[in-house]
Amino acid sequence: MNIRLQKLISALLGLSFALIAIAIFSGQQGGLASIFRFYGISQASDLTVAGTASATIFMVAAVLALLSFLHQKWMRVLALWMIVLSVVPLLSLFGSAHWIESLGGFPALGSGQGVIKYFALVAIGLTLLSHNTLQSRLYIWLNFLPVGLVLLWIGGMKFTAIEAQGIEGLVSSSPLMAWLYRFFDIQETSNIIGVYDLAALVVLAIGIHIRALFWPGILLCSAVFLTTQTFLFSYSGSWVSLGLLSSSGIFIIKDLWFLANLLIMIDIQRRLAGT
């Protein structure tokens, strides 16, 4: 993998891990409560211990990302740590706490919207552990899967009233998207965003096989995750104070992980095209 690209990925991961760790240390949950409930952790004292442990795990990940930025030899350690870090929240998807019962449960996501984002870290970790990533299109698909999954799942949720209302505050705060409410109502706006999400994943999936659509797919998907990051600046509820993410901010900044997936796809596709 290109050294500059590795450094950029390390920087994106390190920034997200550090800010998440600081937020959790300060008491922000970021969806952790639902994960902890799956494991039977509900007492206040136990939640405090579990929260501190989670924050420490993220801080270690941030340090490893920094070390990986400085020295490539730390990338494999970071990769393993990210996979281990992701297992606990992902296993909680087998419980009922994340699913919206009023919408029939699975696959109607509630707090699980933040949990499925950990699939991005698993894909990144597995890719960084392999010595054959540059010779196999398999790793392009591996990094597409979390991108496609989150766009399919969260994009699909946009067609529900609960999600349409849930994103209203974010969308209305955004200079890039608030104008939609001038022409469409809350549900229609959410539907349009959902259609875009689904179209982006389809174009990118086809683009893995048809080179002419690869870059359009990358740009469409990148726009989703980059636009999400602008909410950190436009939506006041993203921060508790300067440098301290709220639970909403934790949810938002996780989209940096998908940008890392897309960067890996670009690198592998570029190298395969040159072979």
Side-chain angles (χ1 to χ4, degrees):
M1 185 179 294
N2 182 278
I3 298 299
R4 291 183 178 178
L5 182 62
Q6 282 193 357
K7 287 184 177 293
L8 178 56
I9 291 172
S10 295
L12 291 175
L13 295 173
L15 175 63
S16 66
F17 293 153
L19 287 175
I20 291 172
I22 293 170
I24 298 175
F25 270 128
S26 73
Q28 300 302 308
Q29 291 276 314
L32 288 176
S34 296
I35 297 172
F36 294 154
R37 282 200 301 271
F38 173 77
Y39 293 98
I41 301 173
S42 58
Q43 298 295 324
S45 58
D46 294 335
L47 287 171
T48 300
V49 173
T52 301
S54 300
T56 301
I57 290 170
F58 273 106
M59 188 56 72
V60 171
V63 171
L64 289 173
L66 173 60
L67 291 173
S68 300
F69 182 88
L70 299 174
H71 302 287
Q72 189 177 1
K73 66 180 182 180
W74 287 97
M75 290 297 290
R76 290 179 64 82
V77 181
L78 173 63
L80 285 169
W81 192 260
M82 288 191 298
I83 294 172
V84 172
L85 179 156
S86 302
V87 169
V88 171
L90 287 175
L91 286 177
S92 70
L93 289 172
F94 288 103
S96 61
H98 298 304
W99 312 108
I100 303 175
E101 293 184 7
S102 62
L103 296 181
F106 178 83
L109 276 172
S111 60
Q113 290 193 18
V115 175
I116 62 173
K117 295 186 178 185
Y118 286 91
F119 282 114
L121 297 183
V122 174
I124 297 168
L126 291 174
T127 302
L128 295 178
L129 284 176
S130 175
H131 296 291
N132 301 313
T133 55
L134 305 184
Q135 288 76 40
S136 175
R137 194 170 296 276
L138 170 66
Y139 290 94
I140 293 183
W141 281 108
L142 177 62
N143 283 275
F144 167 78
L145 285 176
V147 172
L149 177 65
V150 77
L151 291 179
L152 175 64
W153 221 325
I154 296 180
M157 283 292 295
K158 295 294 188 294
F159 297 96
T160 67
I162 191 170
E163 181 74 2
Q165 295 165 5
I167 66 171
E168 182 183 6
L170 294 169
V171 175
S172 63
S173 74
S174 171
L176 299 176
M177 304 179 71
W179 61 271
L180 287 168
Y181 288 130
R182 298 180 184 176
F183 304 98
F184 308 102
D185 63 28
I186 292 174
Q187 186 61 61
E188 290 169 343
T189 296
S190 186
N191 292 346
I192 290 170
I193 296 171
V195 168
Y196 180 96
D197 290 344
L198 298 177
L201 80 88
V202 169
V203 173
L204 183 55
I206 296 173
I208 294 175
H209 288 291
I210 301 176
R211 189 175 302 176
L213 290 179
F214 180 76
W215 273 106
I218 288 289
L219 292 174
L220 287 170
C221 291
S222 297
V224 174
F225 304 122
L226 288 172
T227 299
T228 302
Q229 295 312 294
T230 66
F231 295 149
L232 292 173
F233 304 96
S234 65
Y235 180 57
S236 59
S238 297
W239 303 90
V240 175
S241 60
L242 183 62
L244 181 57
L245 290 172
S246 65
S247 291
S248 296
I250 293 174
F251 175 82
I252 290 169
I253 205 166
K254 289 178 182 177
D255 277 16
L256 290 180
W257 304 346
F258 298 104
L259 290 175
N261 289 132
L262 294 174
L263 288 172
I264 290 172
M265 292 178 65
I266 290 170
D267 185 67
I268 298 174
Q269 179 77 348
R270 180 177 61 84
R271 291 175 182 268
L272 286 174
T275 57

